[in-house]
Amino acid sequence: MAKDQLMKIEIPTDKISSRERYLEAIVQSAIDYAIISMDLDGLVTSWNEGARRVLGWDADEMVGRPATAFFTLEDREQGIPQREMTAALSQGRGSDERWHLREDGSTFWASGEMMALRSDDDTVIGFIKILRDRTQERQQADQQRLLMLELGHRMKNTISVVQSIATQSIRNAASLEDAGEKLQSRMSAYASAHDILLQKNWVSATLGQIVNAATINIGLEGSDRVRIEGPEIELDPQAALSFSLVLHELFTNASKYGALSESNGHIEIAWTIEAREGEDFLISSWREVGGPPVAIPTRKGFGSRLIASSLNSYGTATTDYEPDGVVVTTAMPLSRIQFEKT
């Protein structure tokens, strides 16, 4: 057994030494760490200020109670606390990173160590558990993983858009030179549109500009295969970016599976302003016409979830799979999407 890894304490006496008082002061001042001691039955024998701050219970609420109280039900059912004690005895410590419970029932991600407490004669007299709240680091790691997944998805869609631009440019070109010029101009427009949307100092854009940028991205600017109708509406930056991503998804799906995958298919994009219950709403629709037969998908991919979550965050959105093509309709209060001039 790795005795050098085990924490030893003195058996309590009537007289507490200054060294013990000093050690107690250190434990109580470690407010970023929950430091909890237990007896051999796993009952709490001490509970520092850090434990109160991290876990929520006061010391008088926890002393004498099972330390399993701050483990999740799933972990208790799987015997995780007992495994940690066994590891502390056999290996010197039991380390873990897992979700734990607070007094209010909320969960937090913590890194922890369970160690055996030994007296001077090397007898095991209990255990000590040290926890630190790592929720923020876990959330940042999860967010980074999500961003990487989204980046991968965006890259795949970008490749699809580039392929579509190249196909459209070559298919409708009068010559190889004409194809090269169209391809170059469309790729330049595609890059410029995304630069505008992603610039930090971008102030606003109109819905018409966003729709036109999306048609450029797909290589259909000026084409009668995309029919656009609606008044000028100025959007705030976040709404404009959301609309851009949604249109990106819709155009990509239409090119792969919908109306734009057929030579005679086209898209109708329309929007208007309506007064509802004393507030102005943007009412918009995306309608695919002349595409292949449409069936309700058996599963929703990332793109479908992105469309739904982006649109519903500003109002209501419905997607109908009509026989002639997909139809997406929205109703959004202007106050939630419109650029506010100062």
Side-chain angles (χ1 to χ4, degrees):
M1 185 174 296
K3 294 183 179 179
D4 57 327
Q5 294 181 345
L6 303 180
M7 179 175 290
K8 291 190 175 184
I9 63 170
E10 299 289 338
I11 296 177
T13 61
D14 294 335
K15 295 182 179 180
I16 301 176
S17 68
S18 59
R19 178 176 179 274
E20 288 169 331
R21 291 193 184 94
Y22 178 69
L23 291 175
E24 172 67 14
I26 292 176
V27 169
Q28 289 299 330
S29 65
I31 58 176
D32 291 332
Y33 295 85
I35 304 176
I36 304 141
S37 64
M38 294 157 270
D39 63 17
L40 294 175
D41 294 322
L43 301 179
V44 174
T45 56
S46 70
W47 187 267
N48 79 328
E49 173 62 16
R52 187 192 69 80
R53 296 192 182 201
V54 172
L55 292 157
W57 287 281
D58 290 331
D60 57 2
E61 295 178 291
M62 284 302 298
V63 171
R65 288 184 59 188
T68 54
F70 51 82
F71 283 82
T72 64
L73 176 60
E74 182 181 5
D75 284 349
R76 292 199 296 269
E77 290 176 345
Q78 293 179 1
I80 297 299
Q82 290 74 24
R83 291 185 197 175
E84 289 187 7
M85 290 181 182
T86 300
L89 290 172
S90 62
Q91 302 171 22
R93 66 181 60 215
S95 303
D96 73 357
E97 286 195 354
R98 63 182 64 254
W99 293 103
H100 286 75
L101 289 176
R102 289 193 175 94
E103 186 270 340
D104 61 5
S106 63
T107 58
F108 67 102
W109 184 260
S111 59
E113 297 278 349
M114 178 84 77
M115 294 171 285
L117 285 172
R118 293 178 177 271
S119 63
D120 281 344
D121 62 3
D122 213 32
T123 301
V124 177
I125 59 175
F127 299 92
I128 186 165
K129 175 82 173 179
I130 302 175
L131 281 175
R132 187 168 190 184
D133 187 346
R134 298 286 189 183
T135 307
Q136 185 174 2
E137 291 92 329
R138 172 62 184 257
Q139 290 174 339
Q140 289 173 345
D142 288 345
Q143 184 178 23
Q144 187 174 19
R145 281 192 292 270
L146 178 60
L147 290 174
M148 291 303 295
L149 288 173
E150 291 183 357
L151 177 59
H153 183 75
R154 296 272 73 76
M155 289 296 295
K156 290 179 181 178
N157 274 353
T158 298
I159 292 172
S160 297
V161 170
V162 171
Q163 289 174 335
S164 178
I165 291 174
T167 300
Q168 293 287 344
S169 299
I170 295 171
R171 178 181 297 168
N172 300 319
S175 64
L176 185 60
E177 182 180 357
D178 181 41
E181 291 177 355
K182 287 183 176 179
L183 181 60
Q184 182 177 3
S185 64
R186 285 168 174 167
M187 290 300 299
S188 177
Y190 175 76
S192 297
H194 281 74
D195 284 343
I196 292 172
L197 290 171
L198 298 175
Q199 285 177 0
K200 292 182 178 180
N201 61 347
W202 179 40
V203 177
S204 67
T206 67
L207 180 54
Q209 289 172 334
I210 298 303
V211 174
N212 288 331
T215 63
I216 292 173
N217 293 350
I218 206 69
L220 290 173
E221 74 277 19
S223 170
D224 62 0
R225 300 193 67 188
V226 181
R227 302 167 190 181
I228 305 168
E229 182 178 2
E232 183 174 293
I233 298 175
E234 201 155 5
L235 306 174
D236 69 30
Q238 189 58 48
L241 179 57
S242 295
F243 271 72
S244 177
L245 293 175
V246 166
L247 287 168
H248 185 115
E249 294 294 337
L250 289 171
F251 271 120
T252 299
N253 292 337
S255 298
K256 290 180 178 179
Y257 319 109
L260 297 182
S261 67
E262 299 283 346
S263 58
N264 295 324
H266 70 272
I267 307 294
E268 296 175 357
I269 304 173
W271 64 90
T272 187
I273 303 298
E274 288 186 10
R276 296 185 177 182
E277 299 178 354
E279 186 173 6
D280 287 338
F281 276 70
L282 168 67
I283 309 299
S284 66
S285 66
W286 162 284
R287 182 179 297 275
E288 298 186 27
V289 181
V294 173
I296 299 176
T298 57
R299 60 179 294 274
K300 289 186 176 181
F302 177 81
S304 297
R305 296 195 299 272
L306 173 65
I307 292 170
S309 62
S310 297
L311 296 178
N312 284 317
S313 65
Y314 293 102
T316 60
T318 58
T319 301
D320 296 310
Y321 298 91
E322 298 184 359
D324 198 35
V326 174
V327 177
V328 180
T329 56
T330 69
M332 303 176 181
L334 283 185
S335 60
R336 298 184 65 177
I337 62 172
Q338 198 164 39
F339 171 67
E340 296 181 2
K341 296 181 179 180
T342 58

